[in-house]
């Protein structure tokens, strides 16, 4: 009986509720789910040392976010390792303050 109820609940859940998370409204509250990381590629538009952040023009992250330019908090050590114009890859997620962050930032092509 219990199994049947779970199956029923799942079948009732509209697929749209699971997909289509457009993060154009940055800073919206995170859901109750555990923090998730998404692979990201993009180009550093600006190193914002005073905010310990990078302004990054990132490619589309399918199912998560359209291509756009936005700010990401990074670990302090990253600031000295990237520069304006560098192409990077990283893992995108949110920190405890619900701000967008990048982890595992790697330069894949240095600015010319
Ligand atoms: Cu974005």
């Amino acid at each position: 009986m219990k199994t049947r109820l779970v199956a029923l609940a799942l079948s009732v859940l509209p697929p749209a509720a699971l997909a289509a998370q457009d993060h154009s409204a940055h800073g919206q509250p995170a859901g109750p789910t555990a923090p998730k990381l998404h692979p990201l590629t993009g180009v550093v538009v600006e190193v914002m040392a005073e905010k310990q952040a990078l302004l990054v023009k990132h490619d589309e992250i399918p199912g998560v976010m359209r291509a756009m330019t936005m700010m990401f908090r990074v670990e302090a050590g990253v600031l000295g390792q990237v520069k304006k114009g560098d192409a990077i890859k990283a893992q995108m997620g949110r920190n405890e303050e619900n701000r967008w962050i990048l982890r595992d930032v790697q330069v894949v092509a240095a600015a010319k």
Side-chain angles (χ1 to χ4, degrees), residues 29-97:
T33 50
K36 252 182 151 180
L37 293 175
H38 305 277
L40 170 145
T41 55
V43 174
V44 177
V45 175
E46 201 177 334
V47 178
M48 309 172 89
E50 72 287 351
K51 292 191 169 156
Q52 202 178 310
L54 301 177
L55 189 64
V56 177
K57 183 180 181 182
H58 69 74
D59 300 321
E60 181 187 1
I61 301 152
V64 181
M65 204 186 276
R66 64 188 162 83
M68 68 178 79
T69 299
M70 61 184 281
M71 199 179 84
F72 294 97
R73 296 292 191 88
V74 292
E75 290 172 324
V78 174
L79 297 170
Q81 291 169 3
V82 300
K83 59 186 183 299
K84 187 176 171 175
D86 283 353
I88 59 167
K89 66 174 182 179
Q91 298 289 323
M92 180 186 82
R94 289 181 188 268
N95 65 10
E96 322 72 47
E97 299 173 297

Side-chain angles (χ1 to χ4, degrees), residues 3-4 13 16 24-27 36-37 39 49 55 62 66 69 77-78 82 86 90 96 100 102-103 105 107 109:
T3 311
R4 185 174 153 72
L13 203 62
S24 53
H26 284 165
K36 252 182 151 180
L37 293 175
L55 189 64
R66 64 188 162 83
T69 299
V78 174
V82 300
D86 283 353
E96 322 72 47
W100 291 107
L102 291 181
R103 291 212 191 126
V105 178
V107 176

